[in-house]
Amino acid sequence: AQSVTQPDIHITVSEGASLELRCNYSYGATPYLFWYVQSPGQGLQLLLKYFSGDTLVQGIKGFEAEFKRSQSSFNLRKPSVHWSDAAEYFCAVGAAGTASKLTFGTGTRLQVTL
Amino acid sequence: GAVVSQHPSRVICKSGTSVKIECRSLDFQATTMFWYRQFPKQSLMLMATSNEGSKATYEQGVEKDKFLINHASLTLSTLTVTSAHPEDSSFYICSAKGQGATEAFFGQGTRLTVV
């Protein structure tokens, strides 16, 4: 069975500081990996995804993530955080080939201090 | 990206009544739709997968008679919460995927409050 672990429930960073959100997955084959952002009371917005190829993936809003197969990780990074980045971030894994139903991590709440 | 619209965004209903939530793909044909539930401060949990014209496949522990899913067309899926109770209060989110697509697109979610 596939699973996703986001070890950090809550992270606080200062505006302008760098950010890294951790994500570890468990999957028996090549996974499809996703990062989503959710603002309070809103749906999910896709930040980036990894299917194959270059292991460093660029997304929207200046985010990037690196797929490391040896570590079963797909950490999300941003070099300089903006106050508007405060939200809940979810990592998810899906079945390769169909990108069907996703398994989500428990999420990391990002707080940005000014 | 493709657009998925979910309606209503918020609904309050009385205990014992039924509520219908719609999920529409606006600019593509959604052969598969997924329904998730998210309790406060928790992650999204998949409830069921529906393919157009077929019966939905429910995840373990999800009551199919309570959460009725209909996917009668390629642009619309509905989730009906029957005989709702306060413990059904949650955030329900759908996602939709086209034939051969590599990702599904999410709706805005519906906040259901049962009083």
Side-chain angles (χ1 to χ4, degrees):
Chain A
Q2 57 202 46
S3 66
V4 177
T5 302
Q6 292 180 248
D8 305 304
I9 297 173
H10 187 202
I11 284 183
T12 301
V13 298
S14 300
E15 188 174 42
S18 63
L19 170 70
E20 181 170 33
L21 302 182
R22 295 183 290 166
C23 172
N24 293 96
Y25 69 91
S26 174
Y27 191 69
T30 301
Y32 280 8
L33 294 160
F34 305 81
W35 273 101
Y36 289 90
V37 61
Q38 183 182 37
S39 297
Q42 302 295 312
L44 300 178
Q45 181 180 24
L46 179 67
L47 288 175
L48 47 79
K49 60 190 177 186
Y50 171 78
F51 291 163
S52 64
D54 192 348
T55 56
L56 185 62
V57 180
Q58 300 297 321
I60 62 171
K61 302 184 179 185
F63 285 92
E64 66 177 27
E66 186 171 12
F67 171 60
K68 292 185 177 180
R69 185 186 298 275
S70 61
Q71 298 177 19
S72 297
S73 69
F74 189 57
N75 295 346
L76 181 71
R77 299 193 296 249
K78 186 169 184 178
S80 179
V81 170
H82 189 262
W83 64 266
S84 60
D85 293 324
E88 188 88 20
Y89 291 80
F90 292 97
C91 180
V93 62
T98 64
S100 59
K101 58 184 182 180
L102 299 181
T103 298
F104 284 84
T106 49
T108 298
R109 176 160 297 279
L110 173 66
Q111 184 176 357
V112 180
T113 57
L114 300 177
Chain B
V3 180
V4 175
S5 177
Q6 199 171 329
H7 178 81
S9 58
R10 290 179 178 272
V11 59
I12 301 174
C13 71
K14 291 185 178 180
S15 186
T17 62
S18 296
V19 175
K20 180 183 285 188
I21 302 170
E22 294 186 346
C23 180
R24 293 181 183 273
S25 57
L26 299 186
D27 52 2
F28 69 101
Q29 294 185 325
T31 51
T32 306
M33 287 189 173
F34 306 91
W35 287 95
Y36 294 84
R37 179 170 54 187
Q38 183 183 30
F39 290 109
K41 301 187 184 302
Q42 296 187 27
S43 187
L44 287 80
M45 300 299 294
L46 180 68
M47 300 174 65
T49 303
S50 73
N51 292 297
E52 186 267 337
S54 303
K55 289 184 178 181
T57 302
Y58 290 80
E59 296 299 303
Q60 190 174 7
V62 178
E63 299 175 59
K64 62 179 181 180
D65 294 330
K66 181 170 184 62
F67 299 98
L68 301 179
I69 292 173
N70 184 283
H71 192 169
S73 79
L74 285 170
T75 58
L76 174 65
S77 176
T78 60
L79 167 67
T80 301
V81 183
T82 63
S83 187
H85 291 284
E87 57 265 31
D88 298 323
S89 298
S90 187
F91 194 58
Y92 293 86
I93 308 178
C94 71
S95 67
K97 185 173 79 71
Q99 181 73 33
T102 55
E103 69 176 277
F105 297 91
F106 283 83
Q108 312 96 310
T110 296
R111 170 75 59 194
L112 169 64
T113 303
V114 184
V115 298

